[in-house]
Amino acid sequence: MPHRISSALERAEINLRLLGHTKRAALVMLLFLLLALFSAAAQESSSTVTEAPIVTAAQPATETQKAQFQPQGSDTVSYWYGINYRTPFVMIPNTGKAANIARNSVEYIHVGSVGILNNFADVTVSMSNMSEPAAAGGSGATEAYVILREGIGLNELTHSSAFKKGPLRNVAFEVGANLETKNSSFAPAERTLYVGPKFVFAVPKGFFNVGLHFRKEWNHEGVLGKPEDYTPNFNIEPTWMLPFNIGKAHIAFSGFAEYNSPKGKDSFGSETVSEFLVRSVLAVDLGSVLMHKSQLLDLNGGLWGWHNEYGKPASAPGAKQLTPFVGITLHLGGGQPRHNP
């Protein structure tokens, strides 16, 4: 009987923790909704201001050329929540089993272009629950992860359509970096460089791109307190955003995937293996339904899959995951179109 009571108390404690995280997620989503309503109201009021006709003189050709190089792009801020993320060797105490980690994340994405340059920046800050504690204890671990990509379209560079062939709309030369810091006991500090071509495929709406990269990673391992200098390896990186309609609902299917070939030995002397990951999101455009402002506010559901996480074999605790998550996205400057990165 005492064992049953103890088990019941443990289950109740877990349910209370999950309820607390759910309330926090609901409050953040409510905040995003209020921000979207405020943004929509501000845009509506500004659009109703009567504008006097403006007469402009003809601009010289040089001014027209300058206008073509003005920056264009879109920016979004998202909140995400999931309850069963995994990290290699983060385990339930005294079990040897991988821990399910609840995480709250805020993500900022910028997609834009200036002249022949296309740029992409993704900054995500995530806080885990106590299943993945911070090294100093007292709270869950906090991670900051940054993805940067910069591409030069070869059609634009050559002032031609030489790279618009068959299913291809363009080919770009791309460079980029992934940067990470996390205050867990493992203390990862990823610094990864990416260089290679990106193939831009012609699709009716949205975009579908595939990058083929030379990849070089440096990292840190806090258990032994050693830096990690991995062997250069090969990366395939598809990215996509495909919009469609179901009745009056505007929906978009977006995401990215990665294949990374083995990258040599880790700090423990173990050989790494190929890793596969995919992050896909289905977004429903709430702005067009609730506020008559398309691409202002999205309600999202997604799936995060990772096999052989960080190059560790999937047989290791926490080295594979299939994690559903939910979120809400606010398009800054609402109503701006999505751009092809």
Side-chain angles (χ1 to χ4, degrees), residues 18 32 40 50 60 83 85 93 107 112 150 156 167 171 176 192 199-200 212 226 240 255 271 283 288 297 314:
L18 290 176
F32 268 72
T50 303
I83 62 172
Y85 291 95
E107 180 181 33
E150 189 80 20
E156 291 78 8
V171 177
T192 305
F199 298 91
V200 181
L212 305 179
K226 295 173 62 175
W240 65 89
E271 290 287 346
S288 61
L297 186 71

Short mmCIF file of all heavy atoms in Angstrom, two decimals, residues 18 32 40 50 60 83 85 93 107 112 150 156 167 171 176 192 199-200 212 226 240 255 271 283 288 297 314:
data_model
loop_
_atom_site.label_atom_id
_atom_site.label_comp_id
_atom_site.label_asym_id
_atom_site.label_seq_id
_atom_site.Cartn_x
_atom_site.Cartn_y
_atom_site.Cartn_z
N LEU A 18 3.38 19.26 -15.62
CA LEU A 18 2.91 19.42 -17.00
C LEU A 18 1.83 20.48 -17.09
O LEU A 18 1.78 21.26 -18.05
CB LEU A 18 2.38 18.09 -17.52
CG LEU A 18 3.43 16.99 -17.77
CD1 LEU A 18 2.75 15.71 -18.20
CD2 LEU A 18 4.43 17.45 -18.82
N PHE A 32 0.93 36.58 -27.69
CA PHE A 32 1.13 36.71 -29.13
C PHE A 32 -0.16 37.16 -29.81
O PHE A 32 -0.15 37.98 -30.72
CB PHE A 32 1.60 35.38 -29.72
CG PHE A 32 3.09 35.23 -29.78
CD1 PHE A 32 3.82 35.04 -28.63
CD2 PHE A 32 3.75 35.27 -30.98
CE1 PHE A 32 5.18 34.89 -28.67
CE2 PHE A 32 5.12 35.12 -31.05
CZ PHE A 32 5.85 34.93 -29.88
N ALA A 40 -2.53 44.60 -35.94
CA ALA A 40 -3.58 44.74 -36.96
C ALA A 40 -4.33 46.06 -36.80
O ALA A 40 -4.62 46.75 -37.78
CB ALA A 40 -4.55 43.57 -36.87
N THR A 50 -6.10 59.65 -44.74
CA THR A 50 -6.19 60.15 -46.11
C THR A 50 -4.86 60.70 -46.55
O THR A 50 -4.26 61.53 -45.86
CB THR A 50 -7.25 61.26 -46.19
OG1 THR A 50 -8.50 60.73 -45.72
CG2 THR A 50 -7.39 61.76 -47.62
N PRO A 60 16.36 59.82 -62.51
CA PRO A 60 17.37 59.35 -63.46
C PRO A 60 17.59 57.85 -63.31
O PRO A 60 17.21 57.24 -62.33
CB PRO A 60 18.64 60.13 -63.06
CG PRO A 60 18.41 60.52 -61.62
CD PRO A 60 16.92 60.73 -61.51
N ILE A 83 6.83 18.54 -25.25
CA ILE A 83 7.04 17.92 -23.93
C ILE A 83 7.94 16.68 -23.96
O ILE A 83 8.23 16.14 -22.89
CB ILE A 83 5.70 17.54 -23.27
CG1 ILE A 83 4.94 16.51 -24.11
CG2 ILE A 83 4.87 18.77 -23.00
CD1 ILE A 83 3.70 15.96 -23.42
N TYR A 85 11.16 16.23 -25.93
CA TYR A 85 12.44 16.33 -26.63
C TYR A 85 13.44 15.39 -25.97
O TYR A 85 13.27 14.97 -24.82
CB TYR A 85 12.96 17.77 -26.58
CG TYR A 85 12.15 18.76 -27.39
CD1 TYR A 85 11.15 19.52 -26.80
CD2 TYR A 85 12.40 18.93 -28.75
CE1 TYR A 85 10.41 20.43 -27.54
CE2 TYR A 85 11.67 19.84 -29.50
CZ TYR A 85 10.67 20.59 -28.88
OH TYR A 85 9.94 21.48 -29.62
N PRO A 93 17.03 9.60 -13.82
CA PRO A 93 17.99 9.11 -12.82
C PRO A 93 17.76 7.65 -12.45
O PRO A 93 16.62 7.21 -12.26
CB PRO A 93 17.76 10.05 -11.63
CG PRO A 93 17.23 11.31 -12.23
CD PRO A 93 16.39 10.87 -13.40
N GLU A 107 11.62 31.90 -31.11
CA GLU A 107 12.44 31.88 -32.32
C GLU A 107 12.18 33.13 -33.16
O GLU A 107 11.03 33.50 -33.42
CB GLU A 107 12.10 30.63 -33.14
CG GLU A 107 12.88 30.50 -34.44
CD GLU A 107 12.48 29.26 -35.22
OE1 GLU A 107 11.29 28.87 -35.15
OE2 GLU A 107 13.34 28.67 -35.89
N GLY A 112 15.61 37.61 -46.23
CA GLY A 112 15.65 38.85 -47.00
C GLY A 112 16.64 38.79 -48.14
O GLY A 112 17.33 37.79 -48.37
N GLU A 150 24.03 32.78 -46.22
CA GLU A 150 24.13 33.88 -47.18
C GLU A 150 24.39 33.28 -48.55
O GLU A 150 25.29 32.45 -48.72
CB GLU A 150 25.28 34.82 -46.80
CG GLU A 150 25.33 36.11 -47.61
CD GLU A 150 24.33 37.15 -47.11
OE1 GLU A 150 23.89 37.04 -45.96
OE2 GLU A 150 24.02 38.08 -47.90
N GLU A 156 21.64 36.03 -61.19
CA GLU A 156 21.81 37.46 -60.92
C GLU A 156 23.27 37.87 -61.10
O GLU A 156 23.58 38.96 -61.61
CB GLU A 156 21.34 37.79 -59.51
CG GLU A 156 19.84 37.67 -59.29
CD GLU A 156 19.37 36.23 -59.12
OE1 GLU A 156 20.23 35.32 -59.02
OE2 GLU A 156 18.15 36.01 -59.11
N PRO A 167 13.86 21.76 -64.16
CA PRO A 167 13.16 22.01 -62.89
C PRO A 167 13.81 23.10 -62.05
O PRO A 167 13.26 23.50 -61.03
CB PRO A 167 13.26 20.66 -62.17
CG PRO A 167 14.53 20.06 -62.69
CD PRO A 167 14.61 20.49 -64.15
N VAL A 171 20.58 28.64 -59.33
CA VAL A 171 21.59 27.99 -58.50
C VAL A 171 22.32 29.10 -57.77
O VAL A 171 22.62 30.15 -58.35
CB VAL A 171 22.58 27.15 -59.33
CG1 VAL A 171 23.66 26.55 -58.43
CG2 VAL A 171 21.86 26.05 -60.09
N GLY A 176 27.59 29.68 -44.79
CA GLY A 176 26.78 29.83 -43.58
C GLY A 176 27.48 29.30 -42.36
O GLY A 176 28.61 28.80 -42.42
N THR A 192 29.97 25.68 -36.51
CA THR A 192 30.01 24.88 -37.73
C THR A 192 29.94 25.78 -38.95
O THR A 192 29.10 26.69 -39.01
CB THR A 192 28.85 23.87 -37.77
OG1 THR A 192 28.88 23.06 -36.59
CG2 THR A 192 28.96 22.97 -38.98
N PHE A 199 20.54 24.60 -54.78
CA PHE A 199 19.72 24.47 -55.98
C PHE A 199 18.30 24.94 -55.67
O PHE A 199 17.65 24.41 -54.76
CB PHE A 199 19.73 23.03 -56.47
CG PHE A 199 21.11 22.54 -56.86
CD1 PHE A 199 21.92 21.92 -55.93
CD2 PHE A 199 21.58 22.74 -58.14
CE1 PHE A 199 23.20 21.49 -56.28
CE2 PHE A 199 22.85 22.32 -58.51
CZ PHE A 199 23.66 21.69 -57.56
N VAL A 200 17.85 25.94 -56.40
CA VAL A 200 16.54 26.55 -56.20
C VAL A 200 15.59 25.98 -57.26
O VAL A 200 15.75 26.26 -58.45
CB VAL A 200 16.61 28.08 -56.31
CG1 VAL A 200 15.24 28.70 -56.06
CG2 VAL A 200 17.64 28.64 -55.33
N LEU A 212 23.86 21.64 -50.95
CA LEU A 212 24.89 20.60 -50.84
C LEU A 212 26.15 21.28 -50.30
O LEU A 212 26.73 22.12 -50.98
CB LEU A 212 25.18 19.95 -52.19
CG LEU A 212 23.97 19.35 -52.93
CD1 LEU A 212 24.41 18.76 -54.27
CD2 LEU A 212 23.29 18.28 -52.09
N LYS A 226 36.84 18.87 -22.67
CA LYS A 226 37.71 18.83 -23.84
C LYS A 226 37.06 19.51 -25.04
O LYS A 226 35.85 19.40 -25.23
CB LYS A 226 38.01 17.37 -24.21
CG LYS A 226 38.82 16.61 -23.18
CD LYS A 226 38.94 15.14 -23.55
CE LYS A 226 39.66 14.94 -24.86
NZ LYS A 226 39.88 13.50 -25.17
N TRP A 240 11.97 24.16 -47.38
CA TRP A 240 10.77 24.33 -48.20
C TRP A 240 9.72 25.16 -47.47
O TRP A 240 9.70 25.26 -46.25
CB TRP A 240 10.20 22.97 -48.57
CG TRP A 240 9.71 22.17 -47.40
CD1 TRP A 240 8.46 22.19 -46.84
CD2 TRP A 240 10.46 21.24 -46.61
NE1 TRP A 240 8.37 21.34 -45.76
CE2 TRP A 240 9.59 20.74 -45.61
CE3 TRP A 240 11.77 20.78 -46.66
CZ2 TRP A 240 10.01 19.81 -44.66
CZ3 TRP A 240 12.18 19.85 -45.73
CH2 TRP A 240 11.31 19.38 -44.74
N GLY A 255 9.53 23.80 -43.58
CA GLY A 255 10.48 23.12 -42.72
C GLY A 255 11.84 22.98 -43.37
O GLY A 255 12.13 23.56 -44.40
N GLU A 271 33.60 6.60 -32.80
CA GLU A 271 33.32 7.02 -34.17
C GLU A 271 31.88 7.54 -34.26
O GLU A 271 30.95 6.92 -33.75
CB GLU A 271 33.49 5.86 -35.14
CG GLU A 271 34.93 5.43 -35.34
CD GLU A 271 35.75 6.42 -36.17
OE1 GLU A 271 35.14 7.30 -36.81
OE2 GLU A 271 36.99 6.29 -36.19
N ALA A 283 1.21 25.35 -40.78
CA ALA A 283 0.75 26.63 -40.23
C ALA A 283 -0.60 27.02 -40.84
O ALA A 283 -0.77 26.99 -42.06
CB ALA A 283 1.78 27.72 -40.52
N SER A 288 -5.86 36.08 -41.54
CA SER A 288 -6.83 36.31 -42.61
C SER A 288 -8.25 35.99 -42.16
O SER A 288 -9.21 36.56 -42.68
CB SER A 288 -6.46 35.45 -43.83
OG SER A 288 -6.51 34.07 -43.49
N LEU A 297 -0.73 36.37 -38.29
CA LEU A 297 -0.65 35.47 -37.14
C LEU A 297 -0.95 34.05 -37.60
O LEU A 297 -1.95 33.81 -38.26
CB LEU A 297 -1.67 35.91 -36.07
CG LEU A 297 -1.61 35.15 -34.75
CD1 LEU A 297 -0.35 35.53 -33.98
CD2 LEU A 297 -2.86 35.47 -33.91
N ALA A 314 21.84 5.74 -32.67
CA ALA A 314 20.49 5.80 -32.12
C ALA A 314 20.30 4.86 -30.94
O ALA A 314 19.37 5.04 -30.15
CB ALA A 314 19.47 5.47 -33.22
#
